[in-house]
Amino acid sequence: MILLLISSFAWSQVDSKPIIYVTGIGKVKVVPDQVEITFAVETSGTKAAEVQKSNMQKVDGVLKYLASQGIASTDIQTERVYLNDDFWFGRKKSNFLARQQITVLLKKIDSYDKIVEGLTEKGVNAIDNVQLKSSVAEQKKSEARKLAVESAKRKAAELAAAAEVKLGKVFNITDMSSDYTPTQFTKRAYELAMSVADDAPQSLAAGEMEIIVNIQATYLIDYAEGK
């Protein structure tokens, strides 16, 4: 409540003064050097306990495989685990589906094809999402912020010059951007990726991704005394 009152008071102060309101955009391109894969192990059958046990054994093999490839446990995370009873009314019987979803971060993008092939061999039967990432994303985002501020300041100066007024100090800057969104491949686009890897030794092209920062800035108009 106190922060809200302070903010409201601050804006009431600037509302009584002439201002220039602008937006600024900063863009920085970066070549991805990491890839995040979200995959799942699924097992179905008519007996819940057997289905769950079989799926857990497959997942155990998958986790051991990832560890054998030098992937740290901190880069492997379980996302979802469930056991679903899909009752068939026509046949009056149940069909259980066990599913465990896992996300792994590969810090070497060129290991993608090998890892995906190994995962499918160990029982992974769905790749839900693939995201390209950069290890220097935060550093590049800081650069983009500076460019966004410079862009806003340049716009404000141009508007002030066109209106024949003097640009005053910046009153407020707000970062309107969300976290950068790397290149994504839609769900199941790489499902059964092993068959793809057999035909194409390199199935993932890194390309470039763009980190974008959007800001809003308010500048005061500096009127000389007596005018």
Side-chain angles (χ1 to χ4, degrees):
M1 180 64 74
I2 293 174
L3 290 174
L4 180 61
L5 290 173
I6 293 174
S7 178
S8 298
F9 175 76
W11 277 108
S12 66
Q13 291 295 100
V14 76
D15 282 344
S16 63
K17 298 179 181 180
I19 61 172
I20 294 177
Y21 175 82
V22 292
T23 60
I25 300 178
K27 298 181 180 180
V28 176
K29 290 185 177 181
V30 61
V31 176
D33 58 357
Q34 299 178 342
V35 58
E36 184 179 82
I37 310 170
T38 300
F39 60 86
V41 178
E42 296 180 351
T43 304
S44 62
T46 57
K47 295 183 179 180
E50 292 180 2
V51 168
Q52 181 71 354
K53 182 178 179 180
S54 176
N55 209 64
M56 289 176 64
Q57 289 174 342
K58 292 177 186 176
V59 170
D60 181 63
V62 166
L63 296 178
K64 287 178 179 177
Y65 167 72
L66 292 174
S68 72
Q69 299 303 304
I71 299 173
S73 59
T74 52
D75 293 328
I76 306 170
Q77 184 174 22
T78 297
E79 300 290 343
R80 291 192 187 97
V81 179
Y82 74 78
L83 177 66
N84 184 48
D85 180 3
D86 183 16
F87 185 77
W88 299 355
F89 289 97
R91 301 180 185 179
K92 295 182 180 181
K93 62 186 295 187
S94 293
N95 186 63
F96 295 92
L97 175 66
R99 190 177 205 269
Q100 183 161 334
Q101 188 181 63
I102 299 170
T103 295
V104 58
L105 176 66
L106 306 182
K107 293 185 176 178
K108 294 182 179 180
I109 197 170
D110 57 2
S111 67
Y112 170 82
D113 290 306
K114 177 185 176 182
I115 295 297
V116 166
E117 183 175 353
L119 289 174
T120 55
E121 289 177 349
K122 294 298 180 180
V124 170
N125 44 20
I127 295 183
D128 296 335
N129 194 37
V130 177
Q131 289 187 339
L132 299 179
K133 293 194 169 187
S134 170
S135 59
V136 295
E138 287 305 314
Q139 175 188 332
K140 294 299 180 180
K141 195 167 186 178
S142 294
E143 294 177 18
R145 286 193 188 99
K146 293 177 182 178
L147 293 174
V149 171
E150 292 172 4
S151 170
K153 186 175 181 180
R154 185 167 57 252
K155 287 182 183 179
E158 291 172 355
L159 289 172
E164 297 182 348
V165 295
K166 184 179 179 181
L167 185 65
K169 294 181 178 180
V170 62
F171 176 81
N172 178 271
I173 297 179
T174 303
D175 187 347
M176 303 300 295
S177 55
S178 58
D179 289 339
Y180 81 99
T181 303
T183 304
Q184 296 188 21
F185 299 91
T186 56
K187 184 178 180 180
R188 296 186 182 272
Y190 280 84
E191 192 172 2
L192 301 178
M194 185 177 177
S195 61
V196 177
D198 287 341
D199 297 329
Q202 183 179 354
S203 61
L204 191 66
E208 282 187 334
M209 62 186 189
E210 201 169 50
I211 297 175
I212 303 174
V213 171
N214 296 284
I215 69 163
Q216 294 178 345
T218 304
Y219 287 83
L220 299 174
I221 295 177
D222 186 10
Y223 280 103
E225 293 292 333
K227 292 188 179 181

